[in-house]
Amino acid sequence: MKFDWQGHAEQPGDKALDPGAQAEFEGLQRFIAATGETVGLEPVPVESILAKVAKRQKSRRMWWTIAPVAAAATVATFVALARQAPTNAWWWTQDTRDRTKLTNELATRSKLEMKPLGLQGYDIMMAGAATGAVKFKLKSGAQRNELCAQDEPFGKFLGTCKKIDGREYKVRTFDGKTVVRFDCKDVYWEVQGSSEVGSISLARAVVRDTSNWPAQR
């Protein structure tokens, strides 16, 4: 049965209603009353919700505004630190024909007091320098050697001490190479070669050729 509740909404006590309609109408009134009480007891926190939403939106806007600035600041800091960091890059050259010119260049770059190395019988294939150190790649016939000089002692070296012409050389062979270390004219030297005889021979040549070097500052 369909009933026009709008026509009787303001007549809850109308006696013309039959018992079934009256009961349905009273149930509707109780539902409306209960709903009203519930809404009254549990108010929707509209202002609080709006405030939270606004705060989140503001936070997101701040992030997108601050993020590029923070990134730029990070990059600027990295660049500044990179500029302040000490650099000791190696300089290398194969232009080794003029040994006087080469020695002057190596001395300027390494800050070592140097004079040209004679190294008779050895061809300088390549030379390099960094602050406080120089290196040479040498060839003598089929023999290949590396020669390094620096102004500070090398690290720990478990080699055999050999005394030749009143000078001590520390010798160690490993990985198919013989390494010889010694000091001369306030400079610490290292020779690497494929044979012990060849490495010691080059070390003795270095001692001979640096006899006229000035003392290092």
Side-chain angles (χ1 to χ4, degrees):
M1 180 184 67
K2 293 184 179 180
F3 193 78
D4 185 4
W5 292 111
Q6 291 182 348
H8 293 273
E10 297 179 357
Q11 303 177 22
D14 195 336
K15 302 298 183 182
L17 297 175
D18 60 48
Q22 181 68 34
E24 190 172 350
F25 180 77
E26 290 175 355
L28 177 61
Q29 286 183 317
R30 288 193 298 272
F31 173 77
I32 293 173
T35 303
E37 291 176 1
T38 302
V39 172
L41 290 173
E42 299 292 339
V44 178
V46 177
E47 294 182 359
S48 176
I49 293 175
L50 290 177
K52 291 180 179 179
V53 171
K55 184 176 181 180
R56 290 178 182 174
Q57 290 178 341
K58 182 179 180 182
S59 175
R60 289 174 182 171
R61 285 198 301 270
M62 289 178 65
W63 164 249
W64 289 112
T65 301
I66 294 173
V69 178
T74 301
V75 172
T77 301
F78 177 81
V79 172
L81 290 175
R83 287 176 179 173
Q84 294 175 4
T87 56
N88 194 26
W90 278 87
W91 170 85
W92 289 95
T93 181
Q94 290 180 308
D95 184 9
T96 61
R97 290 169 295 181
D98 187 337
R99 295 197 177 186
T100 299
K101 179 182 176 182
L102 173 63
T103 301
N104 292 337
E105 184 68 33
L106 294 174
T108 299
R109 294 179 180 274
S110 68
K111 313 302 182 192
L112 293 175
E113 296 289 337
M114 298 176 59
K115 285 190 176 183
L117 286 169
L119 297 178
Q120 188 174 356
Y122 294 89
D123 294 325
I124 300 176
M125 308 305 295
M126 185 179 292
T131 303
V134 293
K135 287 184 180 181
F136 301 90
K137 294 183 182 296
L138 307 172
K139 181 178 76 169
S140 179
Q143 184 177 326
R144 299 292 185 273
N145 294 96
E146 290 186 6
L147 174 64
C148 178
Q150 61 185 46
D151 59 2
E152 293 184 359
F154 291 94
K156 189 175 181 180
F157 187 66
L158 300 177
T160 302
C161 185
K162 294 191 176 184
K163 199 166 186 177
I164 304 173
D165 299 332
R167 181 174 296 275
E168 291 185 350
Y169 300 87
K170 284 189 175 181
V171 183
R172 181 184 178 188
T173 301
F174 62 98
D175 291 340
K177 289 187 177 181
T178 298
V179 179
V180 180
R181 287 183 178 177
F182 58 99
D183 61 90
C184 183
K185 291 295 182 178
D186 301 324
V187 177
Y188 300 87
W189 298 84
E190 179 181 270
V191 173
Q192 290 189 23
S194 56
S195 70
E196 180 175 331
V197 173
S199 295
I200 292 178
S201 177
L202 176 56
R204 295 178 68 189
V206 170
V207 171
R208 180 184 65 247
D209 290 347
T210 57
S211 60
N212 63 342
W213 277 30
Q216 301 299 310
R217 295 176 183 175

